[in-house]
Amino acid sequence: MTAITVRPGRLRDAAEEIERSTGLRVQIIGGTLMMSPTPRGKHAGTVQELRDQLIPQLPKDLRAYEVSSICMPDDEDDYATPDLVVLPKDWGRDDEWLADPHDVVFALEVISSSERARDIATKTDWYATAGVTALLATDPRDGTWTLYTHPRDGSYQGILHGKYGEPVPLPSPLPAELDTSDLPLYAPRG
């Protein structure tokens, strides 16, 4: 993931142009443009595995969406695009491209092989500040996961760590848990 700080203005216009011209996925987290390649391989496989578990167990009024962005309340130039997000079913019929974070029941971030700890912490804080109810961060680099819940005052009050093979207990109205035993690991970097 690459981060670029740009002068304030219409950052969203710059982000949209970068996406159009490069194909990179762009987010604006705290005024910083963050770019990453479109998920592929084991990253995409992790998203697909967890999505496949969620879909048949979601309540009828919720759906899992990929490539849907969440806005920071009161700042149209600040948004995140998680790998997977659970929103009300009606989101699929909405003309808006930025979801209200208070409508987000669950967001999934799969850590990329090149992501730095500072970038991960910044994104986690962003989700908490926006008020996203539950965030699951999976890390195929070392086979760990962290579930963040109960956002308040810019940080998550509930933080639960686990390893691949241990189930992730999810808050209601989501399914009781996600199985992590089949999640892929990235090859060791050498």
Side-chain angles (χ1 to χ4, degrees):
M1 175 171 291
T2 303
I4 298 174
T5 304
V6 179
R7 287 187 299 229
R10 289 284 299 163
L11 286 177
R12 197 163 108 191
D13 292 341
E16 290 172 5
E17 181 57 34
I18 291 168
E19 280 189 358
R20 264 192 304 276
S21 63
T22 66
L24 292 172
R25 188 170 72 170
V26 181
Q27 305 173 83
I28 304 172
I29 306 292
T32 300
L33 290 171
M34 300 183 89
M35 296 171 284
S36 58
T38 302
R40 61 183 184 263
K42 292 177 180 176
H43 187 121
T46 300
V47 175
Q48 189 66 45
E49 174 67 31
L50 296 172
R51 181 179 175 268
D52 287 351
Q53 289 182 51
L54 278 170
I55 287 175
Q57 299 182 65
L58 286 175
K60 293 187 185 304
D61 62 335
L62 296 175
R63 293 287 183 272
Y65 297 95
E66 294 180 51
V67 197
S68 289
S69 300
I70 305 166
C71 68
M72 175 63 76
D74 304 321
D75 188 348
E76 68 179 27
D77 268 353
D78 218 21
Y79 66 93
T81 307
D83 291 298
L84 186 71
V85 62
V86 174
L87 288 160
K89 178 182 176 180
D90 292 343
W91 172 249
R93 290 179 166 59
D94 201 320
D95 286 330
E96 294 296 320
W97 73 278
L98 289 172
D100 184 322
H102 299 103
D103 290 339
V104 177
V105 177
F106 173 82
L108 169 67
E109 283 284 353
V110 179
I111 307 302
S112 68
S113 59
S114 62
E115 245 174 311
R116 296 182 307 225
R118 180 180 30 159
D119 294 337
I120 296 165
T122 298
K123 281 179 29 176
T124 301
D125 291 346
W126 186 97
Y127 284 108
T129 300
V132 171
T133 303
L135 169 67
L136 175 61
T138 62
D139 194 340
R141 297 176 301 187
D142 62 5
T144 60
W145 55 262
T146 305
L147 178 66
Y148 300 92
T149 58
H150 308 294
R152 187 174 69 228
D153 300 326
S155 63
Y156 282 104
Q157 306 306 301
I159 302 172
L160 181 62
H161 301 283
K163 297 178 184 174
Y164 284 14
E166 298 172 348
V168 179
L170 297 177
S172 179
L174 297 166
E177 62 185 29
L178 291 172
D179 179 12
T180 62
S181 60
D182 288 332
L183 297 182
L185 292 170
Y186 295 143
R189 293 182 79 163

